[in-house]
Amino acid sequence: MGAASDGMGVWRARIAACRESRKLVLVIVAIALLLDNMLLTTVVPIIPEFLYDIRHPDAPLSVSIEDLTTPLPSPTPYCPCMNKTLVENNTQLPLNLTAEKEERHKELIHETVAVGVMFASKAIVQLLANPFVGPLTHKIGYSVPMFTGFILMFLSTLIFAFGRSYGVLFVARALQGIGSSCSSVSGMGMLAERYPDDKERGNAMGIALGGLALGVLIGPPFGGLMYEFVGKTAPFLMLSALALGDGLLQLMILQPGVVRQETEPPSLRALVTDPYILVAAGAITFANVGIAMLEPSLPIWMADTMEARRWQQGVAFLPASICYLIGTNLFGPLGHKMGRWLAACSGLVIIGICLILIPMARKLEHLIIPNAGLGFAIGMVDSSMMPELGFLVDIRHAAVYGSVYAIGDTAFCLGYAVGPAFSGALVNSIGFEWMLVIIAILNFAYAPFLLLLRSPPARDEKQSLIISEKSSVRYVSYQNEEEE
């Protein structure tokens, strides 16, 4: 009996140590971002074609125009008159083929608008939810909103799995937006609180954004391959199972409950009117608006110009995702050394160049280099500006992070709301190529503003000293907890 109670005591002590571990909190946040972004991008190769096939059941997108218009082979003719008829039919075929292709081209461009609005709905809802979630974390802590995000994400995956109409899928995408707001704002705020040292925080957020990058990396090829060979329901059911695992981990480690902040939080208005925070947030928006415009339009452009198959449309995003993963992990620590303003400024310039190169592609292989550069550069900006927001709050306001990461997530969502919402209309009016050129010019124009973040002024020297002292004390206490 005594041995059993001793064993239970050791087990409880281990669980208690796990609950104090910063690394496990980092793992939970990274998994939550991974699942959110897997769901975000798994739909990219699935939804455009699925919606097209619902509306055109007699001419699905997976069947080429040639297959639809080419007549079945005739039996061997027995008289010259049948040979003559066959020759006449074959001479008319190219004209029919051209007409069918033009008709499908128009329908695909029209489809881009509907798909863009659906993709944008998630970001728009997330945008509206962030101003409420940020201040809420100041009142009840980070764990309850984080767990709420998991529940909403789980429901969204199930609706995606079984939804069979535009309206139902639209609701699933919008519901994901609320869940994403809860997970992203709470997760980043939790990391900023647990990693008060600026260098450590940059490394931790680089790893967490690596989880986001991994979700973006796995999502499109996972969705494309599963849809091609298994069906629409299977990938979403697998995601719902992974979400359930993350929810159980949150229950064990975070133990969701109300925790009130001791420090008086800065007001959302004070943060929104801070020009340095706005510059950092703006860099995140401009960096992500290009890839957000590509998500609904690139698969359809590929189907139109390259006649790309489902798996090819998914794989096209693979270089961007791999290089985003490399960029976030590399520039978490490197951004702190070289200056985060410089990393973000360089990233915006590279993004502009890559966006100009993408429409020049004529084969799938031609997209590898520009997409890879695009992903790497977005990783540079995101992994530099996310910890920079926490640093700016530390030196210019109070070290309470919910609202500033609500602003950071809003900036991220603004790119993903504006991008898909306007991509369809822009493709219709000025074309795919000019749309990307305009976004490239905006990135070039915004890059010089990041010089303002080279040495942002603290609120005052005394306040900066107090905050740095508090940070070091809190940092040491977490270190000691882990060592014990």
Side-chain angles (χ1 to χ4, degrees):
M1 193 72 180
S5 63
D6 286 347
M8 286 294 289
V10 170
W11 180 247
R12 282 173 187 160
R14 282 180 181 173
I15 291 174
C18 286
R19 284 172 183 159
E20 293 297 325
S21 170
R22 297 188 301 173
K23 288 177 182 174
L24 271 175
V25 172
L26 176 55
V27 167
I28 288 169
V29 173
I31 291 172
L33 292 175
L34 166 76
L35 288 169
D36 180 24
N37 286 276
M38 263 195 86
L39 181 58
L40 178 76
T41 55
T42 294
V43 302
V44 170
I46 297 175
I47 297 302
E49 182 168 339
F50 183 74
L51 291 174
Y52 184 91
D53 291 352
I54 288 172
R55 291 169 182 174
H56 306 87
D58 298 329
L61 201 56
S62 56
V63 179
S64 69
I65 296 291
E66 286 84 350
D67 293 338
L68 290 170
T69 54
T70 305
L72 292 169
S74 302
T76 307
Y78 295 103
C79 67
C81 62
M82 288 186 74
N83 272 331
K84 185 180 178 184
T85 306
L86 190 64
V87 170
E88 284 172 359
N89 283 343
N90 284 338
T91 56
Q92 289 172 4
L93 183 60
L95 294 173
N96 295 336
L97 186 63
T98 306
E100 288 283 344
K101 281 190 173 181
E102 283 178 6
E103 185 63 29
R104 179 175 278 193
H105 172 73
K106 288 176 186 174
E107 286 171 355
L108 283 170
I109 287 181
H110 176 72
E111 194 71 34
T112 308
V113 179
V115 172
V117 170
M118 179 188 282
F119 281 8
S121 66
K122 183 256 183 190
I124 291 166
V125 170
Q126 194 169 344
L127 206 63
L128 296 172
N130 281 338
F132 298 99
V133 175
L136 184 66
T137 60
H138 300 159
K139 295 175 182 175
I140 64 171
Y142 300 112
S143 59
V144 172
M146 187 85 176
F147 192 70
T148 306
F150 144 71
I151 293 168
L152 294 172
M153 206 76 65
F154 181 69
L155 290 173
S156 179
T157 55
L158 291 179
I159 298 170
F160 266 120
F162 300 107
R164 288 288 179 274
S165 70
Y166 183 87
V168 171
L169 295 172
F170 189 93
V171 168
R173 186 76 168 179
L175 190 65
Q176 189 198 350
I178 305 172
S180 293
S181 176
C182 294
S183 297
S184 302
V185 173
S186 304
M188 286 297 178
M190 202 181 290
L191 289 181
E193 186 181 68
R194 296 291 181 112
Y195 289 87
D197 178 78
D198 187 48
K199 185 181 176 184
E200 288 284 315
R201 183 186 292 161
N203 294 348
M205 287 190 176
I207 293 166
L209 288 170
L212 182 153
L214 199 59
V216 174
L217 165 67
I218 298 167
F222 170 74
L225 291 168
M226 291 290 282
Y227 185 41
E228 174 92 16
F229 299 111
V230 185
K232 171 182 160 289
T233 305
F236 297 111
L237 286 179
M238 288 179 71
L239 286 177
S240 65
L242 287 169
L244 201 58
D246 183 54
L248 292 171
L249 195 62
Q250 286 188 39
L251 278 175
M252 285 175 62
I253 305 300
L254 297 181
Q255 289 185 300
V258 175
V259 179
R260 300 191 183 279
Q261 295 281 356
E262 293 175 9
T263 312
E264 185 65 29
S267 71
L268 193 60
R269 185 179 176 182
L271 296 176
V272 168
T273 53
D274 187 324
Y276 297 94
I277 288 174
L278 286 179
V279 167
I284 296 169
T285 300
F286 280 99
N288 286 281
V289 75
I291 193 81
M293 282 192 159
L294 285 171
E295 278 190 359
S297 58
L298 184 63
I300 293 171
W301 180 76
M302 287 174 68
D304 188 23
T305 59
M306 302 177 189
E307 295 190 354
R309 295 175 63 84
R310 292 171 184 170
W311 69 268
Q312 290 174 317
Q313 292 167 31
V315 167
F317 290 95
L318 201 58
S321 308
I322 291 170
C323 292
Y324 183 83
L325 181 63
I326 295 166
T328 50
N329 281 281
L330 196 62
F331 280 87
L334 193 60
H336 181 78
K337 288 179 182 175
M338 67 182 281
R340 291 186 181 129
W341 69 274
L342 182 58
C345 185
S346 307
L348 288 175
V349 172
I350 296 167
I351 288 166
I353 294 166
C354 293
L355 287 172
I356 291 168
L357 293 175
I358 285 170
M360 298 178 187
R362 291 294 169 264
K363 294 179 183 176
L364 180 64
E365 306 86 76
H366 298 167
L367 289 169
I368 293 172
I369 292 173
N371 275 4
L374 186 66
F376 187 80
I378 296 169
M380 289 171 71
V381 177
D382 287 357
S383 62
S384 299
M385 290 298 101
M386 280 296 185
E388 185 70 12
L389 288 171
F391 174 71
L392 289 168
V393 164
D394 280 345
I395 65 166
R396 294 177 59 77
H397 302 277
V400 181
Y401 306 100
S403 289
V404 79
Y405 284 108
I407 292 168
D409 197 52
T410 298
F412 188 80
C413 294
L414 196 60
Y416 275 89
V418 170
F422 287 95
S423 68
L426 287 171
V427 168
N428 268 324
S429 57
I430 60 172
F432 181 77
E433 295 83 358
W434 278 106
M435 175 185 79
L436 295 184
V437 168
I438 288 168
I439 301 304
I441 292 166
L442 289 174
N443 275 275
F444 293 143
Y446 192 84
F449 285 99
L450 288 159
L451 285 164
L452 291 169
L453 299 179
R454 191 172 182 178
S455 54
R459 186 167 53 178
D460 58 62
E461 223 170 294
K462 185 181 175 184
Q463 183 68 22
S464 179
L465 183 64
I466 290 167
I467 287 168
S468 67
E469 283 174 359
K470 280 185 181 176
S471 295
S472 63
V473 169
R474 285 167 61 202
Y475 173 70
V476 169
S477 68
Y478 278 117
Q479 277 293 98
N480 290 340
E481 282 165 3
E482 282 189 1
E483 284 169 8
E484 284 170 12

